[in-house]
Amino acid sequence: MKLPYFLGCPSWNESAWLGSLYPTGTPATEFLPRYCSMFNSVEGNTTLYAWPSEQKIERWAELMPEGFRFCAKLPREISQAENLHEVLDLALTFRRLLTPLGAQVTPFWLQLPASFGPGRLAELAALIDGFGAPLAVEVRHRAFFERGEEERALNRLLLDRGVERICLDSRALFSCRSRDPALLHAQSKKPRVPVRPTAFSDSPQLRFIGHPQLEANDGFMTPWLEKVASWIEAGKSPHVYLHTPDNHRAPELAQRFHEQLAGRLPGLPPLPPLERAPQLSLLGDWPVL
């Protein structure tokens, strides 16, 4: 199956998907090939927290089909460094480690913390220029969302270099009121910043952090369906990654996005069906703000 865009979840190594994305009894060693039979991309969240071994990279290269995209996140000792000038060599080491994956790692992701502000843009420019591979950047400092000169400076820096500014939309997540620990944890960790639907290259990047009740996401997804469709019609190859608070329902949400996108783009091939829908982590209704 060939899609005109890249669609996936934050990772593939999720045992909660047994009985839904993965048939019951599937060993963890088989998660990746089964994930790849449903989706053509993954956010690559694991590399933010731990460097994979060379042996693991080789195995991924064997299992990921041609055309699959793994958006590997630069490890947090790089993205959260106090000075990006000092970690360029480390970033290049990480890039070399993933060499066996070839073009499947396109783009790398750099998720910057909220402490990374406008005064450090020269560091970012130097890292981008020295890295020498496609990058997408996520920012969280409030100054980059105020439509002032500081945000314009960031956008110019990225646009001039063809580097994507990752579009983060967490509105659906924060529309939910519940005392469920998974939801509270997600709301405490995920940034709550204004939406910026940018496309600075041929591969715009969208992270959609959703509500655990799938239908509650529809109103928040609707503008993105039009935006993603327009990107595809313009010849771009957008990447779309769907999250839910504990990610137990992320594959369902990704399927829902794709099904609704097919309403805007007739002829879009369907995804394979899930085994069944997993159970909610909290009984009862999820109130919406």
Side-chain angles (χ1 to χ4, degrees):
M1 178 182 62
K2 184 172 177 59
L3 299 178
Y5 76 116
F6 294 99
L7 176 69
C9 299
S11 67
W12 64 79
N13 192 23
E14 179 55 77
S15 60
W17 298 345
L18 286 167
S20 57
L21 180 57
Y22 308 135
T24 302
T26 302
T29 54
E30 296 299 318
F31 285 0
L32 177 55
R34 290 189 178 273
Y35 177 94
C36 293
S37 71
M38 174 72 72
F39 301 115
N40 61 0
S41 189
V42 68
E43 190 175 300
N45 206 36
T46 56
T47 57
L48 179 67
Y49 302 103
W51 290 57
S53 66
E54 293 182 4
Q55 293 75 18
K56 186 171 287 188
I57 295 295
E58 293 288 352
R59 184 171 185 275
W60 291 349
E62 292 174 1
L63 295 176
M64 290 179 183
E66 184 179 357
F68 187 85
R69 290 292 179 266
F70 175 53
C71 292
K73 295 182 181 180
L74 295 182
R76 54 187 171 180
E77 56 260 55
I78 298 171
S79 58
Q80 298 180 19
E82 293 185 1
N83 189 329
L84 294 181
H85 287 295
E86 298 174 355
V87 292
L88 175 58
D89 287 344
L90 194 60
L92 292 173
T93 298
F94 180 72
R95 178 188 166 190
R96 287 192 294 270
L97 174 66
L98 271 63
T99 297
L101 293 172
Q104 288 169 318
V105 186
T106 306
F108 287 84
W109 274 22
L110 175 64
Q111 286 187 304
L112 296 170
S115 59
F116 186 95
R120 300 179 63 187
L121 286 181
E123 294 175 37
L124 178 58
L127 180 66
I128 293 170
D129 294 343
F131 190 65
L135 271 171
V137 175
E138 181 180 292
V139 292
R140 301 185 178 187
H141 194 284
R142 296 299 302 189
F144 294 134
F145 297 88
E146 294 178 348
R147 301 191 184 280
E149 180 53 36
E150 292 166 324
E151 181 172 3
R152 288 191 288 272
L154 168 70
N155 289 344
R156 284 195 301 269
L157 185 158
L158 299 178
L159 181 61
D160 289 349
R161 291 164 171 78
V163 170
E164 277 304 338
R165 177 175 177 173
I166 296 170
C167 308
L168 172 67
D169 188 348
S170 59
R171 293 173 300 168
L173 170 67
F174 287 101
S175 74
C176 185
R177 279 187 189 149
S178 169
R179 304 308 299 171
D180 178 63
L183 178 78
L184 294 176
H185 177 75
Q187 290 179 335
S188 71
K189 295 295 184 182
K190 301 298 183 185
R192 190 173 190 175
V193 294
V195 177
R196 292 291 186 266
T198 55
F200 292 160
S201 74
D202 289 334
S203 299
Q205 310 281 310
L206 168 61
R207 295 179 72 216
F208 184 93
I209 318 296
H211 192 289
Q213 189 180 50
L214 298 184
E215 57 270 24
N217 292 290
D218 291 350
F220 298 100
M221 290 197 304
T222 296
W224 287 114
L225 297 170
E226 180 60 35
K227 178 62 69 175
V228 170
S230 68
W231 284 335
I232 293 171
E233 290 171 336
K236 298 182 183 296
S237 300
H239 292 225
V240 179
Y241 300 102
L242 285 300
H243 299 235
T244 55
D246 54 13
N247 286 321
H248 290 181
R249 306 196 76 184
E252 288 180 273
L253 186 57
Q255 278 206 330
R256 190 177 186 90
F257 183 93
H258 183 77
E259 289 168 0
Q260 294 184 14
L261 183 63
R264 173 61 175 76
L265 295 173
L268 198 65
L271 299 178
L274 293 168
E275 297 286 315
R276 63 172 176 81
Q279 297 297 312
L280 284 171
S281 57
L282 179 70
L283 296 177
D285 295 330
W286 292 81
V288 179
L289 291 173

